[in-house]
Amino acid sequence: MPKISQKDIVKLLSQWGKEFTVLVPSKESGVGKIAAWDGKDTGFLEWYRNTVIPAKASLFPPVEEMFTFQKDKAGYKLETPAVSGHKRLIFGIRPCDASALAMLDRVFGEGYEDPYYLSLRKNTVLVGLTCTNPYDSCFCTSLGGTPSDPANVDIMFSDIGDGFLIDAVSETGRDLVARTGRLEEATRADDKKAQEVKAAAYSKVTRKIDTTGISDRLLACFENGEHWERVASRCISCGICTFLCPTCYCFDINDELIKKQGTRFRSWDSCAFPVYTKMPMENPRLEKWRRVRQKVCHKYGFYPMNFGAIACTGCGRCIRLCPVNWDITQTLANLP
Ligand code: SF4
Ligand code: SF4
């Protein structure tokens, strides 16, 4: 297996930058997100644990133009934005966020095919970085993941201290690694070091949940309003836990109209908001407890009913970023 030393990452990303727009973990006003690489800074290798804004924002942007329209005597003329065929490479995505993209692929690609998401997705190569320093809010190992899971990336970089092993996972990844110059072969000692680093990271994920029969357990207490009122009591309906969840995908659609021309765009929405899904009348979940119940049941009950898998990766964002310390793992542990 090839390897690369940490000091050569700039050269590698520069080489890939000739073919791709390279996106890396970055900070904007102190908030971690995936953004275009500036061509020189690899400081994220020191500070990066995971981004606040998940990688889904690079494929399903918070605000996205769908089309513009113009009205004349003959009716409406629509123009869809030009689809950029430019290839992108996300360097450093964590296994949990790559696994979330696999869940979004099913939502936006099975049955209904979402052209906006799919056009970005098919032109994006995912290069994962094993997680060595998970947060105490992480619980990926309870959901079939690990801090070094290569399942959903094209290439996986595994930390060996002063560099990385490069594991080409998909055909796209194998092709790219084969075309990449200046890669040394890893030694047995490098392999051993990578295994040690992975085992150490795995053991740092100490938060656990028991998902046995979770959908049935949720269904059994679904109508227990008193229970859900207690669960929801401290929530302030800010929507952070859903906006920043890598597997949440709800969006609202709005038209911005000036005289006879306008733009239709979509933007992230959250089932935590009282104004969510107003439909022709009111939000059917006016009480806060119904909205909190929806969030939990969507991840652990409804998505599994539709797709046969839990729609939570255990990334822990909804725990560490909630302003009132609401905790989904406690909610799941305390089902009646
Ligand atoms: S982040 Fe916390 S307070 Fe905000 S909606 Fe989610 S659970 Fe409620
Ligand atoms: S529900 Fe929470 S822990 Fe699960 S994927 Fe979403 S933000 Fe991460």
Side-chain angles (χ1 to χ4, degrees):
M1 188 182 295
K3 70 168 182 178
I4 189 161
S5 65
Q6 189 156 326
K7 68 178 172 36
D8 286 333
I9 292 289
V10 170
K11 286 187 205 149
L12 177 73
L13 295 184
S14 301
Q15 187 186 344
W16 284 348
K18 290 179 188 150
E19 184 176 345
F20 302 93
T21 298
V22 174
L23 309 174
V24 299
S26 309
K27 279 190 183 164
E28 190 178 305
S29 306
V31 176
K33 59 189 277 196
I34 300 289
W37 186 49
D38 66 1
K40 49 183 189 289
D41 183 13
T42 54
F44 62 86
L45 292 171
E46 306 300 330
W47 60 259
Y48 173 51
R49 294 175 79 184
N50 205 349
T51 49
V52 169
I53 299 173
K56 78 169 177 185
S58 303
L59 296 139
F60 169 47
V63 179
E64 185 169 33
E65 182 183 316
M66 301 177 81
F67 55 82
T68 53
F69 55 89
Q70 209 157 8
K71 193 177 180 200
D72 59 21
K73 283 183 190 152
Y76 283 97
K77 272 192 205 139
L78 304 186
E79 204 170 318
T80 45
V83 177
S84 164
H86 193 65
K87 292 192 276 178
R88 305 181 311 163
L89 181 148
I90 297 180
F91 180 80
I93 189 169
R94 294 298 189 204
C96 54
D97 285 352
S99 146
L101 292 182
M103 293 172 195
L104 296 189
D105 288 348
R106 303 191 67 183
V107 172
F108 288 127
E110 285 185 16
Y112 165 70
E113 293 188 356
D114 185 280
Y116 307 98
Y117 176 87
L118 293 176
S119 67
L120 288 171
R121 182 70 163 111
K122 80 168 191 268
N123 284 314
T124 305
V125 174
L126 300 180
V127 180
L129 204 51
T130 54
C131 180
T132 54
N133 193 14
Y135 294 91
D136 63 7
S137 47
C138 295
F139 54 104
C140 60
T141 54
S142 296
L143 292 155
T146 72
S148 55
D149 183 7
N152 299 293
V153 295
D154 295 299
I155 301 173
M156 178 56 98
F157 276 45
S158 301
D159 200 301
I160 50 172
D162 56 354
F164 303 93
L165 296 191
I166 302 176
D167 182 8
V169 181
S170 71
E171 204 178 321
T172 303
R174 282 191 288 279
D175 176 56
L176 181 56
V177 170
R179 286 187 284 114
T180 301
R182 284 200 291 261
L183 296 175
E184 289 173 64
E185 266 310 295
T187 62
R188 272 205 199 147
D190 294 326
D191 284 336
K192 186 163 175 278
K193 179 71 182 167
Q195 293 311 324
E196 285 166 6
V197 172
K198 286 177 189 175
Y202 190 95
S203 67
K204 284 183 196 167
V205 183
T206 51
R207 186 182 287 256
K208 305 282 177 202
I209 61 166
D210 178 8
T211 60
T212 315
I214 192 74
S215 298
D216 291 340
R217 281 155 55 206
L218 282 167
L219 203 60
C221 66
F222 191 78
E223 299 293 348
N224 187 340
E226 275 180 26
H227 167 72
W228 289 106
E229 266 184 42
R230 277 195 301 278
V231 168
S233 59
R234 77 164 80 141
C235 170
I236 55 170
S237 302
C238 69
I240 286 175
C241 58
T242 46
F243 273 14
L244 299 182
C245 173
T247 69
C248 274
Y249 49 81
C250 282
F251 58 84
D252 193 12
I253 294 180
N254 284 284
D255 290 346
E256 201 173 71
L257 186 65
I258 299 170
K259 295 197 174 159
K260 289 185 175 173
Q261 57 186 24
T263 304
R264 176 161 295 182
F265 60 90
R266 69 179 179 185
S267 49
W268 288 356
D269 202 353
S270 167
C271 61
F273 297 149
V275 291
Y276 174 82
T277 191
K278 274 209 157 180
M279 300 195 287
M281 41 178 289
E282 290 300 333
N283 183 349
R285 302 184 204 110
L286 275 182
E287 301 96 329
K288 183 178 63 175
W289 65 266
R290 291 184 193 274
R291 303 196 298 274
V292 171
R293 180 183 69 178
Q294 166 64 21
K295 173 177 59 188
V296 178
C297 289
H298 176 250
K299 310 265 168 224
Y300 284 85
F302 307 147
Y303 188 98
M305 277 178 208
N306 289 323
F307 295 107
I310 290 172
C312 170
T313 65
C315 76
R317 284 184 180 86
C318 60
I319 299 169
R320 62 183 173 272
L321 299 166
C322 171
V324 296
N325 297 324
W326 187 86
D327 182 337
I328 195 167
T329 56
Q330 280 172 10
T331 299
L332 294 168
N334 295 328
L335 292 179

